[in-house]
């Protein structure tokens, strides 16, 4: 059975839950909050009063599902049809890029604890924006090994570091990867412009290469200075869902995805993180490389950006690359070195 509510976020362990709300205006109040913004569904802001440095997981180790138990919402053929459909929409001028995803699922082991899964991920697939949120009374069980920053706020300064472009090695990126990245950087700049001071939005880093367990990413950074009186709710409304997991233009991409993906994404491709309202700071990841529990099942999402240069086989292989190591960790298999 799952234990009491807790969250492991930003290197801190949050305990002693005192408040849960779907009203993001609470983030402009007081206290330290765990924040879950599902791609589909209501936000959840949970205030904890116990805040201390995270410690190694003291409980039972994770015992995952069998490696052959995983199923997918879109098989290779269906995913390929989605890629073809998106390319047709690009040719028609409706969109420039769309992030197509699929959900992988397996039965949950008996007495599964998402905190144990989070510990297994921290060991087998460490990530800069990792997150664990366990709030059993609200059905929230999330373990994320996200490499991507959706939003960091430090007073009036906000930062996003969208990932677009994935390759097996740092020397195997394609022109397509760089084009994907620039499209999303432009989208994020536009989103920031809705809440930032005129002329303050900058791109201090473009196409930085980051190495993560089993793969490499192209990462850019966008920064801006918020206008006076802008709230957390304003920032989230202007920027969510993250552009890197939707496409461009964002609204048109979302409309197209509703007809291509057979199930809602739930927390996958949303955001998970923390806000210290007293200090006016916070950090939210993009909830990729993320597992969650629901009705006796363990779920995980994988996907990629489809552009005119995409091929069905190439895009399928990218989803497999992104999922491979994480599924091995979740199934309790050895993964080897993390770099």
């Amino acid at each position: 059975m799952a234990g009491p509510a807790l969250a492991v976020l930003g290197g801190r362990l949050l305990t002693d839950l005192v408040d849960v709300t779907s009203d993001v205006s609470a983030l402009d109040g007081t206290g330290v909050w765990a924040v879950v913004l599902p791609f589909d569904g209501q936000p959840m802001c949970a205030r904890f009063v116990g805040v201390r440095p995270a410690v190694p997981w003291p409980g039972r180790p994770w015992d995952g599902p069998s490696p052959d138990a995983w199923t997918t919402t879109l098989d290779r053929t269906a995913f390929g049809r989605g890629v073809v459909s998106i390319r047709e929409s690009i040719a028609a001028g409706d969109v420039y890029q769309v992030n197509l995803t699929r959900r992988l699922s397996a039965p949950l082991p008996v007495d599964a604890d998402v905190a144990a899964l989070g510990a297994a991920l921290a060991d087998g697939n460490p990530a800069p924006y990792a997150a664990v949120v366990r709030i059993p009374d609200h059905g929230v069980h999330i373990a994320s090994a996200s490499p991507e920053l959706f939003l960091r706020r430090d007073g009036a300064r906000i930062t996003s570091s969208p990932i677009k472009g994935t390759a097996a090695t740092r020397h195997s990126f394609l022109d397509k990867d760089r084009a994907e990245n620039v499209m999303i950087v432009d989208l994020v700049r536009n989103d920031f412009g809705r809440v930032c001071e005129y002329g303050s939005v900058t791109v201090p880093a473009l196409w930085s290469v980051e190495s993560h367990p089993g793969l490499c990413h192209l990462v850019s950074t966008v920064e801006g200075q918020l206008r006076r009186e802008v709230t957390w709710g304003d920032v989230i409304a202007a920027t969510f869902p993250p552009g890197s997991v939707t496409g461009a233009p964002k609204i048109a991409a979302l409309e197209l995805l509703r007809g291509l993906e057979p199930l809602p994404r739930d927390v996958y491709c949303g955001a998970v993180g923390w806000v210290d309202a007293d200090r006016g700071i916070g950090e939210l990841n993009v909830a990729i490389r993320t597992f969650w529990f629901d009705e006796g099942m363990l779920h995980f999402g994988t996907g990629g950006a489809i552009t005119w240069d995409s091929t069905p086989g190439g895009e399928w292989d990218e989803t497999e690359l992104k999922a491979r190591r994480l599924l091995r960790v979740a199934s309790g298999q050895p993964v080897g070195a993390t770099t």
Side-chain angles (χ1 to χ4, degrees):
M1 296 293 289
L6 62 77
V8 182
L9 301 161
R12 295 181 290 181
L13 172 64
L14 310 186
T15 58
D16 304 317
L17 178 69
V18 293
D19 190 19
V20 176
T21 179
S22 62
D23 184 358
V24 295
S25 69
L27 305 178
D28 295 298
T30 61
V32 176
W33 299 80
V35 182
V36 177
L37 305 177
F39 191 90
D40 301 285
Q42 290 293 310
M44 190 207 70
C45 305
R47 184 164 63 93
F48 292 84
V49 294
V51 182
R52 59 185 185 273
V55 297
W57 170 241
R60 291 185 304 169
W62 173 253
D63 181 17
S66 169
D68 60 6
W70 295 92
T71 60
T72 178
T73 52
L74 295 172
D75 62 15
R76 187 181 186 113
T77 299
F79 191 86
R81 285 197 297 266
V83 173
V84 171
S85 178
I86 291 169
R87 291 187 75 252
E88 290 172 349
S89 294
I90 293 171
D94 299 329
V95 290
Y96 306 110
Q97 176 183 157
V98 177
N99 198 76
L100 182 63
T101 75
R102 57 193 177 98
R103 182 192 294 191
L104 305 173
S105 302
L108 267 176
V110 176
D111 293 334
D113 188 336
V114 79
L117 175 55
L121 291 171
D123 181 57
N125 199 101
Y129 305 105
V132 174
V133 182
R134 183 183 73 192
I135 306 180
D137 288 349
H138 292 264
V140 176
H141 302 265
I142 299 166
S144 177
S146 175
E148 183 171 1
L149 173 67
F150 166 48
L151 195 66
R152 178 183 296 123
R153 182 173 181 179
D154 186 354
R157 196 72 182 167
I158 58 171
T159 303
S160 183
S161 294
I163 286 176
K164 266 291 157 264
T166 300
T169 71
R170 62 188 304 111
H171 302 296
S172 53
F173 291 105
L174 306 173
D175 289 342
K176 165 188 175 293
D177 297 308
R178 295 177 181 85
E180 287 178 17
N181 194 285
V182 169
M183 290 181 201
I184 299 308
V185 166
D186 284 344
L187 188 155
V188 174
R189 289 174 62 232
N190 183 68
D191 286 351
F192 272 26
R194 298 169 61 189
V195 288
C196 287
E197 295 283 0
Y198 179 76
S200 74
V201 179
T202 62
V203 182
L206 183 69
W207 298 342
S208 298
V209 177
E210 289 187 2
S211 296
H212 295 276
L215 46 72
C216 295
H217 288 306
L218 289 181
V219 184
S220 296
T221 299
V222 182
E223 295 182 345
Q225 190 78 9
L226 293 173
R227 296 194 297 268
R228 291 181 181 274
E229 309 303 326
V230 168
T231 67
W232 269 105
D234 296 331
V235 176
I236 291 168
T239 59
F240 191 84
S244 63
V245 290
T246 52
K250 186 184 286 187
I251 293 175
L254 287 168
E255 290 176 353
L256 188 57
L257 286 170
R258 291 188 189 101
L260 295 176
E261 296 180 355
L263 290 176
R265 293 184 181 181
D266 205 298
V267 70
Y268 172 56
C269 291
V272 181
W274 58 272
V275 168
D276 186 331
D278 298 315
R279 298 171 62 195
I281 60 175
E283 189 172 84
L284 303 175
N285 74 14
V286 178
I288 55 174
R289 319 291 198 271
T290 295
F291 294 87
W292 73 100
F293 297 1
D294 185 41
E295 296 184 351
M297 299 294 290
L298 175 62
H299 300 292
F300 176 82
T302 185
I306 313 304
T307 67
W308 176 249
D309 293 328
S310 294
T311 64
E315 295 301 331
W316 174 266
D317 290 345
E318 182 173 318
T319 70
E320 292 280 279
L321 174 65
K322 291 173 177 175
R324 186 176 300 126
R325 187 183 185 97
L326 278 299
L327 294 185
R328 290 183 67 86
V329 173
S331 295
Q333 297 180 294
V335 294
T338 58
T339 58

